Amino acid sequence: MPVIGESREVRGFWLAEAVWVTHSAGVARAVAEWMTDGRPGMDVHECDLYRFEDAQRSPAYVTERGQRNFVEVYDVIHPLQPMEQPRPLRVSPFHVRQRELGGYFLEAAGWERPHWYEANAPLAESVELPPRDAWSARYWSPIAAAEARATRERVALYDMTPLKRLAVSGPGALDFLQRMTTNQLAKKPGAVTYTLLLDETGGIRSDLTVARLSEHHFQVGANGGLDLDWLLRHAPDDVHIADITPGTCCVGVWGPLARELVQPLTHDDFSHEAFGYFKARQTHIGHVPVTAMRLSYVGELGWELYTTADLGLRLWDTLWEAGQRHGVIAAGRSAFNSLRLEKGYRAWGHDMTTEHDPYEAGVGFAVRMNKGDFIGRAALEGRSEETAARRLTCLTLDDPAAVVMGKEPVYADGVPAGYVTSASYGYTVGRTVAYAWLPAAAAVPGTAVHIEYFGEKVPATVVAEPLFDPRMARIRR
Ligand code: THG
C-alpha cells in the first residue's frame, strides 16, 4: 500500500508515495485534500505513514517485505493470508506454551498470534458444523468452534499481548484525554471507560479503553500506531505518552468460571461487589504483580491481566495450573472474533473508520456531549441515532451452512446498498454473523437482504443486536 502523511517531527513536510501507477491518482487526491482540508476525504489508514511498528522499519525488514511485494502484487490474497517472512518477529512471553499447545499462528503488526490450538482438537470432535467451501476453509479450523464453546461454558486464556497499550501520565493527563476523547474520564482512580477518538468532522479515529490507575496516570488500550501518533501530535508539554506494549503482556481470562479460577490466586476480593465491571486495580496473581481490568471483548465474565514481559510466562503458568480443575483451555483469535461479533463489539478499521460518526456506528453511548469540549464535538451537534442516514447493521445468514468473509457487497431490494465489514460463523447462535453498512431504511430488524459471495446471492436478514446476552447477565454478576 502507499505511504502518505505529514511528518510529525518536521511539520509541513509531506510524504506521498504511490507504490503502483494504479495508486497514483488516488494518492494525489488524498494528499491534496489532507493538505488543504486537514484530513483526506476517504479513510486511508491503511496507507498512513505512521502505521508501521518500530520492528517493521529495519532495513532488513523493508528489504525482505519489499521483495515479496513484487511476487504478491498481482496474486489473489486470502483475507487471512499472513506474510511469510520475516517470521517469527514479535512473540509474547506465552509463545513457548502456545507452541507446546500446537498454536496455529498468523501474523499481525509483526506479532505471532495463535488462531487456534491443535491441543483442543479432541474438544472439536463433538462439534457439529456444516461443511465449508475451500476458500473460507483456509486459515480456519473447526477447533475454533470448540474454543468458543469452552469460553461460553467454562473458562479460556486469550493472549491479548498484541493489543496496543499506552501509558499517559503527567499533571495535564486528565485534561488532555478529556479533550481528545468523547466519554467522561473524570472518575475516581480504578475506573475504566470505553471512549472514542474523533477527528474534527466527528469521524471515528479509534475506540479506546482508558483506565485511570491513579490521579495522573492512565493506561490506554488502543488500536495501533495511528492512535499513538494522533495523541503525540496533540500532547502538551505536561503530558507524557509511552508505548508500553513491547515491554508488557496481557492475558484475558474469560468465561463463567473465570472468578473461580482467579480468586484463589489473589489476596484481593474479586467478587462482583468489591471489583465491579469496568474497574481496574493493581494486585498480585501468585508471585506476579498485575494490573487487572474487569472487561471482556468476548462478552464473558473475566479480567484482562497485565504484567511486565519478564513475568508473563510465570503469570500464564500460574493461571494454567489453577485452571486445570476448571477445564481451562487456551483459545485463539478465530474463536475471539466469533465471540465478539455475537456480542456486537465493533473492530475499528473494519466496522468503523473516520468515514463514520458514532451514531451511525452504534457507539453513540460512548459520547458525552455535556462533559465539556472535545475534538469532534462541534461536528456532532444536532446529530443522533435518529438522524443517521446509514447504520452499521447486524445480519445473520438465513442458511446455517452459508458463510461470507467480510467486504462483500450487500443488496437491498436487489440493488447494491452497502458492504460487509466483518463476518464470522457464530458458534453460539449457529449461523454466520455479518456486520454491514446499510441505509437506515434497510437497517430495520426483519429486513431481507442479499450478500454477494463468489457471484452467488446469499440470503441474509437484518437482526436486532447484540445477538448474544443483550441484558449483560453474563458479565455483570
Ligand atoms: N481491551 C482493552 N482495550 C481495547 C480493546 C480491548 N481497546 C481497543 C479495542 N479493544 C476497543 N474495543 C472495545 C469494544 C467494546 C468494549 C471494550 C473494548 C466493551 N464494551 C461494553 C459494551 O459495549 O457493552 C462496555 C461499554 C461501556 O460500559 O461503556 O467492553 O479488548 N483493554
Side-chain angles (χ1 to χ4, degrees), residues 160 163-164 183 193-194 206-209 220-223 254 277-278 293 295-297 304 306 336 343 345-346 365-366 472 475-476:
M160 297 294 286
L163 177 84
K164 193 78 162 174
N183 211 336
T193 309
Y194 177 70
S206 190
D207 63 341
L208 312 172
T209 58
V220 175
N223 282 299
W254 292 315
Y277 183 53
F278 264 75
M293 290 186 206
L295 61 97
S296 159
Y297 201 63
E304 290 179 348
Y306 297 87
F336 182 87
K343 190 71 184 88
Y345 290 161
R346 280 75 172 130
F365 66 88
M472 307 285 281
I475 310 186
R476 293 181 191 270

Side-chain angles (χ1 to χ4, degrees), residues 163-186:
L163 177 84
K164 193 78 162 174
R165 288 176 290 288
L166 310 175
V168 179
S169 57
L174 175 64
D175 286 349
F176 170 63
L177 289 170
Q178 286 281 66
R179 189 164 53 78
M180 297 302 295
T181 82
T182 58
N183 211 336
Q184 179 58 268
L185 307 177

Side-chain angles (χ1 to χ4, degrees), residues 35 45 49 67 76 101 129 170 247 266 277 308 316 320 388 397 409 424 452 460:
M35 291 175 81
H45 79 272
L49 168 59
Q67 287 175 5
V76 176
L101 294 169
L129 284 175
T266 172
Y277 183 53
T308 48
W316 179 277
W320 186 255
L397 305 198
S424 168
E452 187 175 324

Side-chain angles (χ1 to χ4, degrees), residues 29 41 67 93 118 120-121 123 159 167 182 187 226 237 260 271 276 288 328 337 352 386 416 436 443 467-468:
R29 175 173 168 166
Q67 287 175 5
E118 287 299 328
N120 296 324
L123 300 176
D159 183 0
T182 58
K187 298 176 185 163
L226 269 58
D237 289 340
E260 277 81 350
S271 68
V288 181
V328 73
N337 193 45
M352 56 193 188
E386 286 68 42
L467 288 169
F468 183 76

Side-chain angles (χ1 to χ4, degrees), residues 190 192 211 213 251 262 270 275-276 278-285 289-295 302-307:
V192 184
L213 299 180
V251 52
V262 174
F270 271 47
F275 193 152
F278 264 75
K279 292 286 188 291
R281 66 169 53 172
Q282 272 147 334
T283 179
H284 293 86
I285 298 292
V290 298
T291 300
M293 290 186 206
R294 194 175 149 201
L295 61 97
W303 289 267
E304 290 179 348
L305 302 173
Y306 297 87
T307 191

